[in-house]
Amino acid sequence: MLIESFYADALAHISYLLIGTKNAAVIDPKRDVDDYIEEAKKQGVKITHILITHSHADFVSGHLDLAKKTGAKIYAPLKSNFQFEHSPLVESDVIEIDHIKLEVLETPGHTPDHVSYVVTDTSRGELPVAVFTGDTLFVGDVGRPDLFPDLKEELADNLYHSLFDKLLNLPDFVEIYPAHGAGTLCGKALAAKRTSTIGYERLYNRALQYKDKKEFIEKLLEGMPAAPDHFRRSSAINSKGPELVENLPTPKAMTPERFEKEIEKGAIVVDVRSYIAWAGGHIPNSYSLDHNCMPFSTFAGWILPADKNVLIVADTENDVKIATTKLRRVGIDYEIGFLEGGMQAWAKSGKPVNSFRLISPENLEKKIQIKEDIELLDVRSKGEWDTGYIEGSIHIPAPELRNNFDRVAKEKPVILVCGLGPRAAMAASILEQQGFDNLEILSGGMTAWNSYHNKESACSSSK
Amino acid sequence: MLIESFYADALAHISYLLIGTKNAAVIDPKRDVDDYIEEAKKQGVKITHILITHSHADFVSGHLDLAKKTGAKIYAPLKSNFQFEHSPLVESDVIEIDHIKLEVLETPGHTPDHVSYVVTDTSRGELPVAVFTGDTLFVGDVGRPDLFPDLKEELADNLYHSLFDKLLNLPDFVEIYPAHGAGTLCGKALAAKRTSTIGYERLYNRALQYKDKKEFIEKLLEGMPAAPDHFRRSSAINSKGPELVENLPTPKAMTPERFEKEIEKGAIVVDVRSYIAWAGGHIPNSYSLDHNCMPFSTFAGWILPADKNVLIVADTENDVKIATTKLRRVGIDYEIGFLEGGMQAWAKSGKPVNSFRLISPENLEKKIQIKEDIELLDVRSKGEWDTGYIEGSIHIPAPELRNNFDRVAKEKPVILVCGLGPRAAMAASILEQQGFDNLEILSGGMTAWNSYHNKESACSSSK
Amino acid sequence: MLIESFYADALAHISYLLIGTKNAAVIDPKRDVDDYIEEAKKQGVKITHILITHSHADFVSGHLDLAKKTGAKIYAPLKSNFQFEHSPLVESDVIEIDHIKLEVLETPGHTPDHVSYVVTDTSRGELPVAVFTGDTLFVGDVGRPDLFPDLKEELADNLYHSLFDKLLNLPDFVEIYPAHGAGTLCGKALAAKRTSTIGYERLYNRALQYKDKKEFIEKLLEGMPAAPDHFRRSSAINSKGPELVENLPTPKAMTPERFEKEIEKGAIVVDVRSYIAWAGGHIPNSYSLDHNCMPFSTFAGWILPADKNVLIVADTENDVKIATTKLRRVGIDYEIGFLEGGMQAWAKSGKPVNSFRLISPENLEKKIQIKEDIELLDVRSKGEWDTGYIEGSIHIPAPELRNNFDRVAKEKPVILVCGLGPRAAMAASILEQQGFDNLEILSGGMTAWNSYHNKESACSSSK
Amino acid sequence: MLIESFYADALAHISYLLIGTKNAAVIDPKRDVDDYIEEAKKQGVKITHILITHSHADFVSGHLDLAKKTGAKIYAPLKSNFQFEHSPLVESDVIEIDHIKLEVLETPGHTPDHVSYVVTDTSRGELPVAVFTGDTLFVGDVGRPDLFPDLKEELADNLYHSLFDKLLNLPDFVEIYPAHGAGTLCGKALAAKRTSTIGYERLYNRALQYKDKKEFIEKLLEGMPAAPDHFRRSSAINSKGPELVENLPTPKAMTPERFEKEIEKGAIVVDVRSYIAWAGGHIPNSYSLDHNCMPFSTFAGWILPADKNVLIVADTENDVKIATTKLRRVGIDYEIGFLEGGMQAWAKSGKPVNSFRLISPENLEKKIQIKEDIELLDVRSKGEWDTGYIEGSIHIPAPELRNNFDRVAKEKPVILVCGLGPRAAMAASILEQQGFDNLEILSGGMTAWNSYHNKESACSSSK
C-alpha cells in the first residue's frame, strides 16, 4: 500500500492515489486527471476506484473524466444524491482494493453528505492506518460549516459529532489525509504540513480544543471569511456531473481583429501575464489575473462571470494551456480564445491599449510625507488587514470591489495596495471597468512596503 | 512546516526537504542534489541545513555537493568522525530552523554512529510531530545491524535499546520518515507505504514484536541477505567526503574504434539497454544492466569493479546521462565514455558482436517435458527462491555468480531464470565473461513462467 | 521572397514554403502539415496557397489537411482530375502571392498531369528566379516515366519535350527546387545537394546528356528499379482526396492480452525497434521495420498490407507517434494499437517470444572458411548487389522475398545480409512468417563486412 | 555534397555546413557552435575544416570553439594576419574535402583580407557549382567598404574589381551563399531570399548595375548607415582569437540584494523582457532590450558598454540563457548575473521601481489634435524615417541618443516612436539614464499608427 498525493496549487486542493498491489483508487480527483493516470502507469497499477468524500463547492471534480478514461467505478455518499452513475455509500460500507480495506464513516458538517474513508492495510494489521477526511478535518483546522447559510447551525452541530464521536475515536497513530492544504497563495504560507495524525490533531488542532459543543459551534462560526461566488455554482455542477473535459472546446488562436470582434460580442478578456506587464500595457477593461502569482483558480471562479466566452492574453501558448486548465477547475467551460502573438500583436494592430504606473514604496512614502491628496486602497483580506496596514488606507477586499467600487474616491489618484502586487492589479482591472483611470499600483505590495521599512512581513499570504 | 520526500528508485533511498517559513533542511541527501535546490526555489525557501543520520553504506551521499551549491551547513553525528567540515552532534543537541526544532536522539544499531532527528513544530505545540529515523526504524522493518560483521551482536543490542528505549518512547501520533522505502525493484513491491507512525509500527512492525532482547537479536540476525560489495566502499567515501559531482569528468562520446581501444586498456563495458536488446546483440564481455528495469545503482555498485573506467552502451544520450547519475550514486566515479551511435554503430564497424536467444515459457516447458539435458539456473535472491521455483533448477543469486560460476555446468545449454528477465541477462553477462557461450534467457522470468501457468506470481520483487 | 524547404527523410520527399511579405504557399505538402504552419507563424505570414505539381504516387499528400487547418486554397493541374475542391491549372496560368508570380509550365513525363511552377520575384526583376520542378527534373536525375507501364513510352517522350523544350529554355541562373532528394537511406547517400540551377543541370545532369530523343528514351527506361506496391495505392488516395489526419483514429495503448486478441482477429504487428532488439526477442511473425535506420515509410508502404489494423511494438510512446506519422505518410490509415510497456511487458506476460542471433563478420568468415553448409542470402537492391557481394550468396531483394521465399533453402541455416542490418531483419521477419526458423543476421551488414575486411564500403545506401 | 545553412536571427548572419561523404566544413561559424556539431552528427559526417572568409566586424566568430570541440583545422586568409593557429590562404589555394574542391578567390573590398570560396563538386563536373561570398556579394546587395573609414575609397575600388573581375566571371548558374541575410528585424523583412545565383545577381543586384567603376564607387558610398560601435571591437577580438565560450563564466542567479550591490559596483542592467513589461515596471536606469522583438545582438553590441559586468532581468531562466548566448555573439563576455525570481522578486523586496505608460495611436492622435505641447521623438533609422513619419516629430535614431539626448526637450512630455515599440523602449531607457522622467511610448510604433490610420505600413523593418 502506497499513498501518493497531488497538490493543485491554484486551489490548495489535495487529491490522492491509493495504490494496492495491482489496483488503485483516486480520492476526490481534480478535473485534469492525466496526472493520476500517469502515476498509476508508473507504479504498474490500474485505477479501478474513484472515491468522493462529498459534494465539493470550491472546484469542479474530475470523477467523470477519470471514469471515462480508465473504466474505474465511482463511489460516493448516498446522501449526495449525485445524478451520475455511481455506487452509493452509507455508514460502515466497505470497499476492498487488493489488501486495502476502506470503511465509510459518515462525517457530515462541512456538508450534509460528507463521508470519510478509514483505511486498513490488512496485510499489516487489523487496526486502521489512515483516514481520508475530505473537508471535515484538516491539518490544524476543521471544515467550515457555513456554506449552506440556512443550515449552518445544524451543520456545525453535525461537525462536532463527526469530529468528537467519530474521527477522534480512531487511534492516535492513524494518519490524516485531508482534501485541502493550508494557505495556498504565493509564498511561505505553503510551508504548512499537508498530513497529520489523529493524536497530534487531538492535541493541537485549534478547533478541537473546544470540547464543549456550544463553545465549539460559537468559535467555529466566528469570523468566517466570505465564500467566493462560484462555490454555489461548483456544487451544482458536481452534483449533476460536469461536462467531460475532452468535450470542451480547445482554445482558439485569434488575430487582434477577431479578438476585438469577440469582445464586442460580449466575451471577457482575462490577462494572465504578470501584474507588471499588465500595468505596462493591456487591453482596456481586461481582467488582470497574474496566473503565476495568485490562487488563480480561486480568484477566477470568484470574480469572473461564468456564462461568457473567455479571451486569454498570455505570454506563451503554454501559459494559455495552463490557464485554461485552471479555469476549468472552477467550471469556466465556455469557448476560450487567445491572442496569437500576445499583447505585442495587439499593440502593433493599432488598437486601444491602456496602462498604469507602478509606484515604489519609497515614492509612496514621499507622497504620504508631503500629504498629497491620494486615496490609499488596501484590497487584501480581512485577516491580512488585521496584521497591519499603511496609515490612512481604506480597506475593501479585491473581490468585493465589484459591488463596492463606489466607496472609492474617483476624483483622487487611487493607489492600490495588496500583499505582493497581483491582487492590486486585479483590483485595478475591476476599477478600470468602472471608469477609474487615475490608478497606481504599489509595486510588491505590503511585502515591499515592509521590506522597505525593514519590518518583517507579518504574513505574505493573500487570501 | 512542510516535508517533501525524494525517492531515488534505483536505491530505494528516501531523502527529505524539511521546509520552514524561510529556510529549509535536507536530510540524508542523495548525490544528485539539483532536485532539492529546485524544490526549495519553488517553495521560496533557502536550504540552510544539511542533516546526516549516519555514515551511509549503500550510496554515496550528496552533502558536500549541496553545501557547495547552497552554502548550507552540514550537521552530522560526532561519532561519525567525518573528515569534512561539519557541526558534530550528540544526544539532545537541538537545531532550530525557523519555527522548527530538531532534537538529536542517538540511535545506534544499524551503525554505531546513527542518530535520529525528532521534529517539533513549535508554532503548533510542544510535543514532537515527526522523527527522521534514517536506517534505524523503517515502515514494517528495522535496520540491519550486520554490516560490520565483527560488531553485529553489539550493534543488534544497541538497536534494541535505540528502538525500545528511545524511539518507542515517542508518542503514538509521531510520524516516521525513514531513509529507505521497502522493495525497490520493478513492479508492485514499490507499493509499500513510505511513512508511518510510532503507534502503528509499535503494533505491527515485525521486528518490534520481539520485546525480549535476546529473542529480538536472534530473530534479527536470522536469514539476513548478503550485503553488496560496495557497502564497505561507500562508507569509506562518505566518511572522507565524496568528490564533488561537478568535478567529475563528463561522459565522452566515443567512436567504435576509440571504444575498442579503451576496452583493450582495461575499461569495462556496461550495457544499460533492455535485456532483450542486449540478448539480441552486444559487445562480447559487456555487463548487462538494464537500467529501466532493475535497481540499477544497487547492482552496479555490487557487481562492477569501482576502479576501472566505464564505457556505456545505451540507446540514447539521455540514457547515458541517467545511467551516469546512477553510477555516481554508488561511487563509480572514474572516466565514463559512451558509444556514439549506440550498438548499431558498433555493428556497422564490423567489430565482434555476441548474442543469445530468449526462450519463452512455452518452449522451456517443452524442453523440460522431453527431458532435454539442460542446466536450469535460477539467479534470484534467497527470498524469491523460497517462494517457489522451476523443478530441477539450481540456485545461485546473480551477484554471487562472480565467484560461484564453477558450480554451473559449462558443457550443457544453460537456461537462466530470474524474476522478470533483466537479472538473468546480468547473470548471462557474468557467465559470458567466464567463457560460457551456450546460454539462453527465460523471457519474462518467473513472472512469465507463472503467468503462462496461470499462477499468481508470488512476488515479483527481485532483490 | 524566401523559400524554406522541408525534408521528409523517410521518403526523401522535399516540400517548400514559399514566403511573400504577408502570404505564403506550400508546394507539394506532406501529410503531417504542422511543420508548415509553425514556420509560417514564425515568419509572420499566412499560408494562403497550396500548390500541387502532380498526382503523387509515393506518398499520401497533405493538401486537404493543410487547407482545413489554414483556409488556404488548393491549386492543381486540370489534367489531374482531382475529386476534391481546387483551382485547376493549365499552361501559362499565373498565381500571384504578394510580389511573387508563379507561372504554370505543363511538364508531363513522370506523370501525364505534371506541371512545374516558374517563380518570378517581381520586386527584383522580370526574369524568373526559380522553378519548382516536382518529379520532372531532379538534382542529377529526371523523373521516372514508367509508373504507368502502358504509357511509359509515351510518357518518356513527353518527358523529353518537357525537359528540352520547356525547363531547359529557362535561363541558366534559375534555381531548381525538386520534390525529391537523392538517396534517402541511412548514411552518406544523404549528402547530395537538394537544389541546383538550370545551367548546372544542363551541363551535368546525366539524363540531360542524351540530346537525341530516341537515345534519351532508351537510356531512361534502361535498368529501372521495381516500383513499390503502394505507388498505385497512394495515387488513387491522392486523387480522391485523402482522409484528414485529424479524423484518423489515434494509437491506442493495449495490454499484452488485448494485443494478442487483435492479432488473432487479423491485425499485423509492426516492430519498429532497432533490428538488434528485434533479433533479441520479438512477437512471432511480427514485421521488423527499424524506424530509425531505414526509409521506414517507403518500406512500410511497400511490404505491409494496407487493409489491416496495425499493432506497433516500440521502445517509447514517442516512437509510436513518430511511426504512426510515417505510416500515414504512405496511407496506412487503419486503427493503430501499441503495446503498453513494450516488449518487456509482452515477455512478462508469458506469451510466445521468438529470437534470432546476430552473426559478426568474423564468425561468418570462419563459417565460410570451414565451408559450413549455409545459405547466404543477400537482400539488398540490384544496384547495391552490383557493387559487390559475399561470394556464394544468392540475391533476392527484401521486398521481393514475399513472393520468392521458396527460392531460399529452408533446410539450411540461412544467413541474411543487407547494407547495415535493418533490412536483413525485415527479410528475416518475412521468412519467419513463411516458417523459416533457422536464421541469422549479419550484424552491420555489408558495411560491417567491408570494414572488417578493411575495404571502403562501395555504397551504404540501401534502396 | 550537401549545404545546410544556419541563420542567426539576432545578427542576420548565415553560416554553412558543407557536407561531403565523410567530412564536412563550416564556413564562418557563429560563436554558439553546437548547432553545427549536432547537424554533422545527424548527417553522419565529421567536421574537419573551418573556413573563414574575412575578419568579421559584426559578430564574434566561433572558429576556436569549433576547433576545440571537433579537432577541425582552421583555414583563413593570409592577409588577415590572425594570431591563432590556422592555415593561411592566398589566391588559387585549393582545399579538398572528399569529392568537394574549394578554391580561394581573393575578393577584398568589404575588408582588405576578404576571400571567397569557389566550390566544385568533382563527382558531378569540373565547373563550379557554388561560391561562398562572405560579405562581398549578397542577395541584392554588396558588402559595405566603409568600415575602415581611412581606406574606404581604396576598398570600394577593390570591391569593384572583386565583383566585376572575379565573382562575375563565374558562370551564371553558380549558386551564391553569402554570410548575411537581408533585413533581420522583427517581421516581414525576413522574407528575403538567402541564396541566389551569379546570373540572377548580374542582372538584378542593384550595386552591380553600375558598371562604370567611378559611378559604382560613388553610388556605393552614398547614404551609408552608421556602423555600430562594436564593429571595431569584434574585429579586434576575432583577429586575436576570441575566448572559448566554455571558459566564460556561466550566468549566476542573484537575489535582489546581491543585484543591487552589483549595480552599485558598476554593473549594467539589461532588461530583456517585452517592451510592454519593461514599461510596466523596471529597475531604474536599466537598458530595455526586448530580446524577442529586435536584432538583439546588434543593438546589444551597439549600445552596451562591453567592459562592464552585465545583470540580466528576464521572465525565465531560459530567456537568460538565450540572451547570454546572444550577448556573447557580439563579444560581451564579462560576468553575467540574473535576477532570480525576475522583476516580481525585485518589486517584492521594496527596492526602487520605475515605470512609463504606453500611449495608443488613438490617444496620441487626440493629443496632436488638441495641440498638446509634446515632444514627438522618432527613433527609427534614416531609411525608415524616409518612408514617412508623424508630422511634428523630430528624428534621432535610437543608438545615437546616447550622444544626442540634449537635442530632446526635457521639460515637455516626450513621446517615443519607433517601428513596433521595442526600440522606443530602448530609447526611453537611454533617456531615463539622462534624467528624463516624463516619457511615453507609442504602443506598436509606426506599424500601429499606420494600422490605426488604415495605411499599409511602408516597411516594418527597424534597422
Side-chain angles (χ1 to χ4, degrees), chain A residues 93-111:
Chain A
D93 276 355
V94 166
I95 296 163
E96 288 186 41
I97 301 168
D98 302 331
H99 58 277
I100 303 167
K101 196 181 84 178
L102 290 138
E103 192 179 341
V104 173
L105 212 59
E106 292 185 339
T107 52
H110 173 63
T111 60

Side-chain angles (χ1 to χ4, degrees), chain D residues 239-254:
Chain D
S239 178
K240 200 181 138 217
E243 186 57 70
L244 294 180
V245 170
E246 66 187 36
N247 294 341
L248 297 179
T250 51
K252 276 194 198 62
M254 296 183 178

Side-chain angles (χ1 to χ4, degrees), chain C residues 226-242:
Chain C
D229 300 13
H230 63 300
F231 275 22
R232 204 160 281 271
R233 179 174 78 239
S234 297
S235 280
I237 293 173
N238 284 330
S239 178
K240 199 180 138 218

Side-chain angles (χ1 to χ4, degrees), chain B residues 159-172:
Chain B
L159 186 61
Y160 178 85
H161 292 291
S162 294
L163 291 164
F164 287 97
D165 301 347
K166 294 201 168 170
L167 288 170
L168 291 187
N169 279 348
L170 293 169
D172 272 4

Side-chain angles (χ1 to χ4, degrees), chain D residues 156-174:
Chain D
D157 188 292
N158 288 345
L159 186 62
Y160 178 85
H161 291 290
S162 294
L163 291 165
F164 287 97
D165 300 347
K166 294 201 169 173
L167 289 171
L168 291 188
N169 279 349
L170 293 170
D172 271 5
F173 56 70
V174 170

